[in-house]
Amino acid sequence: MYVLGIESSCDETAASIVKNDKTILSNVIYSQIKEHSAFGGIVPEIAARAHLEKIDVVVAKAFSDANLSINDIDAVAGTCGPGLIGGVIVGATFAKGISIASNIPFIAVNHIEAHALSVRITNDVEFPYLLLLISGGHCQSCIVHAVNKFEIIGRTLDDSIGEAFDKVAKLLGYGYPGGKLIENQSVLGNIKRFSFPKPMCSNNSLDFSFSGLKTAVKIAFEQSQKLQQDKDDICACFQATVTAIMKYKADAAIKHCKELGISVQTIVAAGGVAANTPIRQILQNLSSDYDMQFIAPPIDLCTDNAAMIAWNGIERLRLDLTNEIDFSPRPSWPLESSATENSKIIAPPIVKLYS
Ligand code: KG4
Ligand code: ZN
């Protein structure tokens, strides 16, 4: 069985064909970074237009790379949210068009669910597992009980962790996205120079907060001479603080599972920030302390991609969780509710504009 996945919820236009035996036959990503970098962040209108411009080329390349034709695929999965709605509509509508034209099932994929299950493409991870979903748009911890059953145990009260990386990078005058740049610069700095706060790291709190840390970084930078060494030291101290926060939150989440009597053997990190080496390392060490295993997808499956969307399609198809063609794309789509939204959404009544 082959499933085509289409992703367009943020600043990557992506298409991928994955086989049910987990072979990724193609994984095409067109990144819009250069369209947005001058603005220091993503401009939704530019993103939507760029998706529209590239989607057909990207999907065609996914077929040619996989050496398959449209007649070979068994289903099409498209991200239907959460995300920047203009872009989501482009990808979801394209996926629906293929579904109608080829008369194959359509699967409306929740982008967060796709990140959450992405680790199962490369590893045979059994449910339940403890997931740290750390990306540009999301920051939460949850217990993944099944393909479509998630128990959120911690969430951010303000920024996501990826946003914190990106905003610090912007402050320092680096480009967008900033996570990888900060990670690279951090090895050049003095880790002891600044003592940044670790918000909400007490009483085993499971929730995240990054705004206080962000403000502290801003003040430190403004009070410095703004030399390259100052920037490197800020990167080093910010990276060390964020790594320590992740260790604290993972530890609190493990304790929470133990208190609830939920037996989890595996900690999984997913989303763009799961590509961060110090964070991967600290979670690896923590897991060993608890005699658990730590798994994160390979770097190219951590950041946004369509292979995870196609894989989510395969996971849902196996459970017969397909969708009606009138499934509404949505800017916000909490993970907990994606489980129940696999059936037809009743369309609003058609309003007659002209008589
Ligand atoms: O999952 P993703 O590609 O998009 C969302 O769904 O949000 O995550 C993008 C985020 C950005 O904030 C980017 O700065 C961050 O992931 N990121 C990293 C690294 N690579 C990407 N953050 C820290 N270290 C990295 N190596
Ligand atoms: Zn993402």
Side-chain angles (χ1 to χ4, degrees):
M1 176 180 38
Y2 299 104
V3 173
L4 167 69
I6 295 179
E7 159 61 30
S8 61
S9 66
C10 195
D11 59 343
E12 281 95 8
T13 317
S16 167
I17 297 174
V18 177
K19 199 176 169 189
N20 59 334
D21 69 358
K22 302 190 173 190
T23 313
I24 300 174
L25 292 147
S26 59
N27 193 10
V28 183
I29 302 179
Y30 172 76
S31 167
Q32 303 175 355
I33 284 179
K34 67 175 186 317
E35 277 98 327
H36 300 288
S37 58
F39 304 95
I42 301 164
V43 184
E45 183 64 26
I46 294 177
R49 286 166 189 262
H51 285 304
L52 199 53
E53 211 169 284
K54 289 282 184 252
I55 188 109
D56 52 345
V57 182
V58 166
V59 172
K61 184 156 169 37
F63 278 107
S64 64
D65 285 2
N67 211 9
L68 293 174
S69 86
I70 203 159
N71 300 324
D72 297 316
I73 54 166
D74 299 281
V76 54
T79 301
C80 282
L84 300 172
I85 194 63
V88 173
I89 289 172
V90 171
T93 308
F94 204 91
K96 288 176 179 182
I98 292 176
S99 160
I100 294 169
S102 301
N103 198 20
I104 53 174
F106 167 69
I107 301 120
V109 169
N110 179 316
H111 180 90
I112 326 178
E113 183 178 298
H115 272 304
L117 300 175
S118 60
V119 71
R120 284 165 52 87
I121 308 176
T122 46
N123 299 74
D124 293 325
V125 186
E126 297 293 325
F127 300 118
Y129 54 86
L130 181 60
L131 171 75
L132 298 163
L133 184 59
I134 44 178
S135 74
H138 310 281
C139 187
Q140 56 194 35
S141 52
C142 67
I143 304 163
V144 183
H145 290 283
V147 166
N148 59 346
K149 190 169 173 221
F150 302 89
E151 187 180 340
I152 309 290
I153 57 173
R155 65 190 80 222
T156 184
L157 305 185
D158 38 60
D159 287 351
S160 75
I161 185 169
E163 248 179 305
F165 269 101
D166 294 338
K167 285 178 179 169
V168 169
K170 189 176 178 186
L171 174 78
L172 300 181
Y174 295 142
Y176 172 85
K180 185 64 188 156
L181 286 160
I182 291 195
E183 182 189 335
N184 291 347
Q185 290 306 118
S186 69
V187 295
L188 305 172
N190 173 6
I191 207 170
K192 298 215 169 99
R193 174 152 166 209
F194 302 103
S195 174
F196 291 139
K198 295 194 275 293
M200 304 197 66
C201 286
S202 60
N203 303 325
N204 284 323
S205 160
L206 295 162
D207 289 331
F208 300 80
S209 168
F210 293 98
S211 66
L213 169 60
K214 219 175 50 189
T215 307
V217 170
K218 190 166 186 278
I219 293 169
F221 183 57
E222 279 165 3
Q223 289 177 349
S224 77
Q225 289 184 278
K226 303 185 178 168
L227 303 175
Q228 188 56 48
Q229 191 58 54
D230 297 317
K231 294 185 183 184
D232 292 347
D233 292 347
I234 284 176
C235 286
C237 297
F238 174 78
Q239 173 71 68
T241 305
V242 166
T243 306
I245 292 172
M246 285 315 301
K247 181 181 179 192
Y248 186 93
K249 295 299 167 187
D251 187 63
I254 295 168
K255 286 178 181 147
H256 179 80
C257 289
K258 287 190 185 296
E259 269 164 30
L260 292 183
I262 300 170
S263 160
V264 284
Q265 299 303 321
T266 309
I267 302 177
V268 170
V273 184
N276 185 273
T277 310
I279 291 177
R280 287 170 94 102
Q281 192 58 57
I282 204 101
L283 295 175
Q284 175 72 63
N285 296 347
L286 181 74
S287 309
S288 311
D289 292 347
Y290 277 102
D291 231 356
M292 295 168 80
Q293 64 168 341
F294 170 70
I295 308 179
I299 306 289
D300 60 337
L301 293 183
C302 284
T303 44
D304 285 352
N305 65 88
M308 69 180 189
I309 307 301
W311 174 251
N312 202 155
I314 291 170
E315 295 255 39
R316 283 191 158 252
L317 207 53
R318 284 175 178 158
L319 301 173
D320 216 11
L321 298 172
T322 60
N323 296 88
E324 298 291 334
I325 218 69
D326 60 357
F327 188 95
S328 317
R330 53 210 58 195
S332 144
W333 188 1
L335 194 50
E336 304 95 307
S337 66
S338 77
T340 51
E341 296 199 26
N342 62 303
S343 55
K344 183 172 176 173
I345 294 205
I346 306 300
I350 295 167
V351 180
K352 225 175 167 190
L353 293 176
Y354 304 103
S355 53

